[in-house]
Amino acid sequence: MLTFRILVLSALVGLSACSRNPVTGKRQVVFMSKEQEIALGQQSHPSVVATMGLYDDQKLQAFINEKGKAMARISHRPDLPYQFYIVDSPVVNAFAVPGGYVYFTRGIMAHFNNEAEFAGVLGHEIGHITAQHSARQQTSQLFGTAGLILGSVLLDKTGQLTEAASQGLQLALLGYSRAHESESDEIGVEYSSKIGYDARQMAGFFGTIKRIQDNAGQAIPQFMSTHPDPGNRQARVNELAQSYQAKNPASYRTDRESYLRMIDGIIFGEDPKQGFVENNQFYHPELRFQFPVPADWNHQNSPEQFQMGPKDGQAAMILMLAKGGSLDEAAQNLVKELSLNVLENSRTTINGNPALFLVSQQQAQQQQGQPQQQQDPKTRLQIATWLIQYNNAVYALHGLSQAAAFGNRLPTFRQVAGGFRALTDPDKLNRKPERVRIQAAPRDGSFREVMTALNMPASRLEELGTLNSLKADDRITRGTLLKTISR
């Protein structure tokens, strides 16, 4: 499941009086009261859980609750009802919601190499909340769409598909400004230091983020991004941490071994039971179906839906559960909820499964008090939908493109839909997830040599190096705890 960088839940908010920022102490005008922040957090949480799912690990959950509450107590807004969650996504990310909701993906938990790295990111996310970045961002939009902003600690490719993934939740994309991200970095140094952790480790984690981006070809020049470049952030956070420690001398801890032992066994990468892509096929072991994925298409999986599309972004296909107990009921609900103008429809079967085929266009929406906007028919979104009855459920498989290109895209859409069928392969049905395993280095040597001794394939050396924040030639002492990957 690729995951989720920044989400926004539209909501009405009222005008708040001029107030003093809890962190900066400066006077500010904001458009979200404390009560509204809390209410918006409560409203957004079910959507986050539905979109991403929660990762069930009582040991890790107890850890983030303990550290989160300790940090909340020393924060600038200790009166908020903070809550901390691990979401079931392999993406390396963390985000926060106004009102005190903080989320870590299992992907980022797997990539931390000590408690201090975690504490730095925790402080960064709490900093978004305490500095009221959501309210300040809203104000800067000059009475534009009011939103609930989920701030991210990094910029990665997952944001490009978030809007499609959140259909039905009516979520949109919005980013914090560079200034807000930099301010949260500074707050993260302060908060993590105050609960006793070495904030220099937070700086080191930005090196991990940069390495992930570079390996995925995601590096974005700083002047083009609303987020500071992770390489620049690494240097700046390191300076901030050193300055803080010079002014506040103490014994700041890292706690590497305790953290590594705690994440031993955490799921790494995609969890096959939620669906996975292999050899241009999407397999869902729990729901027991499969269908083809066109070559070179990007794809994203979530608990609510699977989506994919060509790299040019000019088309997409989305599979989700349809609302309704029958094909006819599902079709009626779909047309009503999406305001569709149905151009054609027919009954069919797909590999023995009853199905309905619809071609439709979404009707233009008229804003209240505004004249009806005329839209070029060629630029309208046209949708091919297959409603498929399978195993006591109705699935909706949508193919979308602009009307002008729809005819060229339809054969690909048909090929995918026609490949929907039962999954019977025992290898796919019983596929186990990969997990992080903590092992002691069996010998002195380079990281490369130690990974070889631990039977890790050479083809995954860079991936393992990123996971451990080590380079191939870094020297390792026998007995050092390291992360490996196995099923």
Side-chain angles (χ1 to χ4, degrees):
M1 182 171 65
L2 294 179
T3 80
F4 302 86
R5 180 177 61 133
I6 303 171
L7 304 172
V8 182
L9 175 62
S10 295
L12 292 176
V13 294
L15 177 64
S16 176
C18 184
S19 62
R20 196 174 296 277
N21 184 274
V23 174
T24 66
K26 296 179 181 179
R27 303 289 291 180
Q28 64 182 13
V29 176
V30 297
F31 298 90
M32 190 184 299
S33 68
K34 172 186 169 183
E35 291 73 22
Q36 287 167 330
E37 287 185 71
I38 293 171
L40 287 171
Q42 292 171 340
Q43 291 167 14
S44 74
H45 178 68
S47 298
V48 174
V49 173
T51 303
M52 305 181 77
L54 296 179
Y55 184 65
D56 184 15
D57 187 316
Q58 294 183 2
K59 180 174 50 179
L60 275 181
Q61 185 61 50
F63 169 75
I64 69 167
N65 284 342
E66 177 191 351
K67 301 304 176 183
K69 290 177 181 178
M71 192 171 286
R73 286 193 294 269
I74 57 89
S75 76
H76 295 86
R77 301 179 72 187
D79 55 324
L80 290 174
Y82 291 93
Q83 297 186 53
F84 306 91
Y85 298 93
I86 302 171
V87 291
D88 194 3
S89 167
V91 175
V92 179
N93 205 0
F95 54 93
V97 182
Y101 288 77
V102 179
Y103 302 87
F104 290 84
T105 63
R106 60 173 168 81
I108 202 171
M109 298 301 291
H111 278 78
F112 290 134
N113 278 285
N114 54 59
E115 291 186 19
E117 288 182 348
F118 164 81
V121 174
L122 174 67
H124 173 102
E125 296 305 334
I126 290 180
H128 277 307
I129 296 169
T130 59
Q132 296 181 305
H133 287 160
S134 55
R136 289 157 64 185
Q137 182 79 4
Q138 182 190 325
T139 303
S140 73
Q141 297 301 315
L142 299 177
F143 303 92
T145 300
L148 169 63
I149 303 166
L150 309 183
S152 171
V153 74
L154 72 153
L155 178 66
D156 60 29
K157 66 182 178 183
T158 63
Q160 65 186 315
L161 290 174
T162 300
E163 189 169 12
S166 60
Q167 284 189 355
L169 304 177
Q170 297 183 346
L171 301 177
L173 299 175
L174 189 64
Y176 281 129
S177 70
R178 281 191 198 172
H180 289 169
E181 289 296 325
S182 295
E183 187 174 53
S184 278
D185 287 345
E186 189 168 354
I187 296 169
V189 168
E190 177 186 350
Y191 287 177
S192 61
S193 298
K194 281 187 174 180
I195 65 170
Y197 287 103
D198 184 351
R200 293 175 299 179
Q201 297 296 317
M202 175 187 175
F205 190 69
F206 282 115
T208 298
I209 292 173
K210 180 169 177 57
R211 194 167 170 182
I212 292 170
Q213 290 186 0
D214 290 348
N215 288 343
Q218 298 171 39
I220 297 176
Q222 184 172 2
F223 69 88
M224 294 177 61
S225 170
T226 56
H227 289 57
D229 178 81
N232 297 351
R233 294 171 85 176
Q234 181 178 5
R236 180 175 180 273
V237 170
N238 192 54
E239 290 176 1
L240 289 169
Q242 290 180 344
S243 175
Y244 186 96
Q245 292 179 9
K247 295 175 183 177
N248 303 275
S251 179
Y252 295 100
R253 65 186 189 273
T254 298
D255 291 352
R256 181 176 184 273
E257 290 200 4
S258 61
Y259 184 81
L260 292 180
R261 295 190 187 282
M262 188 165 47
I263 63 167
D264 188 18
I266 193 171
I267 292 177
F268 180 77
E270 301 287 349
D271 186 349
K273 74 177 183 180
Q274 298 175 355
F276 63 97
V277 173
E278 185 174 274
N279 298 324
N280 294 327
Q281 287 279 328
F282 175 73
Y283 301 101
H284 202 300
E286 284 202 336
L287 301 178
R288 304 178 77 89
F289 64 74
Q290 67 182 81
F291 56 82
V293 174
D296 298 323
W297 274 29
N298 295 324
H299 52 84
Q300 179 182 16
N301 189 25
S302 76
E304 287 203 324
Q305 61 189 0
F306 177 83
Q307 59 190 340
M308 56 185 173
K311 293 178 181 178
D312 63 11
Q314 298 303 303
M317 294 198 74
I318 302 173
L319 177 91
M320 62 182 69
L321 273 173
K323 294 181 180 178
S326 68
L327 292 174
D328 290 334
E329 184 181 358
Q332 292 169 6
N333 290 334
L334 183 71
V335 170
K336 180 179 179 181
E337 290 186 7
L338 298 183
S339 300
L340 297 179
N341 177 28
V342 178
L343 305 178
E344 63 176 278
N345 70 87
S346 60
R347 291 189 179 273
T348 185
T349 58
I350 297 177
N351 294 311
N353 301 300
L356 275 179
F357 172 62
L358 309 174
V359 175
S360 57
Q361 289 186 348
Q362 197 157 25
Q363 299 178 37
Q365 299 295 309
Q366 182 175 358
Q367 300 295 322
Q368 186 174 2
Q370 298 293 325
Q372 181 73 42
Q373 298 294 316
Q374 296 299 317
Q375 184 180 14
D376 184 346
K378 293 183 179 180
T379 65
R380 286 182 183 170
L381 182 66
Q382 191 149 322
I383 309 167
T385 300
W386 286 265
L387 294 168
I388 307 168
Q389 196 151 26
Y390 176 74
N391 279 358
N392 300 316
V394 177
Y395 293 92
L397 180 59
H398 305 288
L400 308 89
S401 77
Q402 285 189 343
F406 184 79
N408 293 330
R409 301 288 187 180
L410 185 56
T412 301
F413 297 161
R414 286 189 185 278
Q415 185 241 344
V416 172
F420 184 99
R421 59 189 175 90
L423 173 58
T424 58
D425 184 346
D427 175 63
K428 306 301 188 297
L429 289 169
N430 299 316
R431 185 69 59 87
K432 301 297 182 185
E434 290 190 323
R435 296 180 182 271
V436 172
R437 302 296 183 186
I438 306 302
Q439 298 190 61
R443 50 164 289 186
D444 292 344
S446 68
F447 179 70
R448 178 190 288 107
E449 292 167 340
V450 171
M451 287 292 105
T452 300
L454 290 169
N455 298 316
M456 291 293 101
S459 61
R460 303 191 73 172
L461 183 63
E462 174 58 24
E463 183 179 24
L464 288 160
T466 302
L467 189 62
N468 283 279
S469 193
L470 291 167
K471 298 288 188 179
D473 294 328
D474 286 348
R475 303 304 295 177
I476 305 297
T477 303
R478 180 181 179 183
T480 301
L481 294 184
L482 297 168
K483 299 173 189 170
T484 60
I485 302 171
S486 64
R487 293 197 188 278

